[in-house]
Amino acid sequence: MEFISQELDDYVCDHTDIESDLLKELNRETNVKVLNPRMLSGHYQGRVLSMLSKMIQPNRILELGTYTGYSALCLAEGLTENGRLITVDVNPELEEMVDKYIQKSPFKNQIQQIIGNGMDVIPTLNEEFDIVFIDADKRNYAAYYDLVFDKVRKGGYIISDNVLWSGKVVNEYEKSDLDTKILKDFNAQLHNDPRVENVLLPIRDGLMIVRKIQ
């Protein structure tokens, strides 16, 4: 769904810092070789994630949903000198491709890739996170949020992608469309959570940002 005109969207992208050569290469390879390249964060959203990370200056980041590693590399740009990013994905088929780009990046010693189900992995992580980025299977968004919440420091951030779901959250949808209902309920859950403050940004497919206040 286009939230602004293509002309205005082009203008926004033209006046946003360009992606690095490495990210351009990853972007191209994802679009040529990988199923559902629309899942890639891409240039504009990637620069937003990078800027947010640089503003927060995180020591620890957890990403749920690696895909081809684009968003992980963007978020890693804001890590402290001794910071670390853990990225988790259930799909082993993309592990080699992701690792290739991690190893070519300046963050090869700061990014840890874990192949596994986030529901199983999260309880094993003995870390306190400054940022958690949720971009995995939508039907477990609420469960991921609940699992990571106590692992996020006070003042830390949880960012969830695709929360506008191509605009379906405000349109009529079939009762059988469970994903849309789940995301509507998830947005309401976060908005009404007294432990956080939140803002929903209409960037690409929607980024819900919550800051833990208690």
Side-chain angles (χ1 to χ4, degrees), residues 187-204:
N187 291 337
Q189 174 190 347
L190 272 56
H191 182 58
N192 293 311
D193 189 342
R195 303 170 299 172
V196 304
E197 52 190 15
N198 76 294
V199 60
L200 199 167
L201 301 179
I203 292 173
R204 290 299 183 256

Side-chain angles (χ1 to χ4, degrees), residues 6-189:
Q6 187 61 55
E7 183 180 23
L8 190 55
D9 186 71
D10 290 342
Y11 182 87
V12 168
C13 292
D14 288 343
H15 289 79
T16 295
D17 273 351
I18 62 173
E19 57 191 348
S20 68
D21 289 341
L22 180 65
L23 288 173
K24 286 179 182 176
E25 181 184 343
L26 173 53
N27 198 332
R28 285 194 299 269
E29 184 169 351
T30 299
N31 277 275
V32 170
K33 297 182 179 179
V34 182
L35 191 66
N36 296 323
R38 187 174 179 271
M39 292 170 59
L40 188 85
S41 288
H43 164 219
Y44 179 61
Q45 183 171 308
R47 290 304 85 208
V48 171
L49 293 175
S50 171
M51 184 71 77
L52 289 172
S53 186
K54 289 171 181 173
M55 292 167 66
I56 298 165
Q57 297 184 321
N59 187 48
R60 291 290 184 270
I61 301 174
L62 172 63
E63 177 183 55
L64 301 172
T66 310
Y67 191 48
T68 58
Y70 192 100
S71 53
L73 292 174
C74 293
L75 287 165
E77 293 177 20
L79 282 171
T80 60
E81 183 178 353
N82 297 313
R84 190 159 68 97
L85 183 150
I86 299 171
T87 183
V88 182
D89 200 288
V90 73
N91 184 4
E93 294 181 4
L94 294 174
E95 181 179 11
E96 184 177 343
M97 178 178 173
V98 172
D99 185 65
K100 177 178 72 172
Y101 283 95
I102 290 175
Q103 295 307 314
K104 293 169 70 172
S105 80
F107 315 109
K108 62 182 180 181
N109 296 321
Q110 293 179 281
I111 299 178
Q112 177 187 1
Q113 183 184 182
I114 297 177
I115 301 299
N117 188 314
M119 300 288 288
D120 300 323
V121 173
I122 294 168
T124 71
L125 301 176
N126 187 25
E127 301 271 5
E128 184 177 62
F129 296 100
D130 304 288
I131 299 175
V132 174
F133 182 50
I134 302 176
D135 190 19
D137 53 307
K138 312 313 169 194
R139 297 191 179 191
N140 279 319
Y141 263 33
Y144 292 140
Y145 180 80
D146 291 338
L147 280 172
V148 302
F149 194 87
D150 288 340
K151 296 180 182 292
V152 176
R153 67 166 173 84
K154 185 176 180 180
Y157 295 82
I158 301 174
I159 304 172
S160 306
D161 197 12
N162 303 117
V163 295
L164 293 180
W165 207 229
S166 299
K168 293 180 183 179
V169 291
V170 295
N171 295 329
E172 292 293 327
Y173 60 92
E174 298 293 330
K175 290 183 178 180
S176 59
D177 185 359
L178 184 59
D179 287 336
T180 300
K181 182 180 187 305
I182 285 170
L183 285 167
K184 283 176 66 74
D185 291 345
F186 177 73
N187 291 337
Q189 174 190 347

